[in-house]
Amino acid sequence: MMMSCGRNPDKSRVYLDKGIDYLYTSEIDEAIGFFNKAIKYDENNYEAYYYRGCAYSNNFNNEQAFHDWNKAIELKPDYADPYFNIGLIYRRQNDYSMACYYFKLAEKYGRQNMEDYVKFCDYYE
């Protein structure tokens, strides 16, 4: 019997997609489990880190969410969505200067409809 060892991006994608399905139905623990498997099969799967961060954020685990979103950014620096979500966390914490910093990065990397998020940023810089 042959075993699959090492990196397997196709298998990682299957687990990622299943995790996203669970995330959208608010089955957070199940989603995290599938994202963990996606990362196991491809440690460079930036989307798995991003979505796992979203799952952690939904469980109010901001520290782990920050960690995963920063890992997604490390793997793909022009990935706009993690910047946006980090900005949302800072805004909820009333740290508007940091929120604006991340919102502007999200806008720079192509996140759509950022006008309402950045329109007051000049005030906080």
Side-chain angles (χ1 to χ4, degrees):
M1 180 162 109
M2 300 218 21
M3 297 192 68
S4 173
C5 297
R7 191 168 184 266
N8 187 335
D10 292 333
K11 198 170 207 176
S12 179
R13 184 73 214 187
V14 169
Y15 286 122
L16 172 66
D17 290 342
K18 190 68 172 167
I20 291 169
D21 290 343
Y22 278 109
L23 183 61
Y24 285 143
T25 59
S26 298
E27 297 174 77
I28 304 303
D29 292 334
E30 291 84 355
I32 290 170
F34 279 99
F35 297 137
N36 289 341
K37 288 178 182 177
I39 291 165
K40 175 184 171 187
Y41 285 102
D42 183 2
E43 67 278 355
N44 295 319
N45 187 335
Y46 64 91
E47 289 179 296
Y49 285 103
Y50 168 72
Y51 282 106
R52 190 174 70 176
C54 293
Y56 282 125
S57 179
N58 285 341
N59 268 354
F60 305 101
N61 186 342
N62 289 339
E63 184 177 327
Q64 189 61 47
F66 273 120
H67 176 270
D68 280 355
W69 290 331
N70 280 310
K71 181 65 176 181
I73 290 167
E74 176 187 320
L75 293 170
K76 185 164 174 49
D78 63 345
Y79 188 27
D81 291 338
Y83 293 108
F84 176 71
N85 285 6
I86 292 170
L88 289 176
I89 298 257
Y90 278 118
R91 188 175 73 175
R92 276 186 247 141
Q93 296 172 345
N94 296 320
D95 187 341
Y96 297 110
S97 63
M98 286 301 292
C100 285
Y101 172 78
Y102 283 97
F103 288 154
K104 285 186 173 189
L105 284 170
E107 182 179 51
K108 173 183 174 182
Y109 293 120
R111 173 107 178 158
Q112 300 295 310
N113 303 314
M114 291 300 299
E115 298 83 16
D116 287 340
Y117 294 95
V118 299
K119 67 182 172 184
F120 297 110
C121 285
D122 291 339
Y123 177 77
Y124 295 106
E125 294 177 337

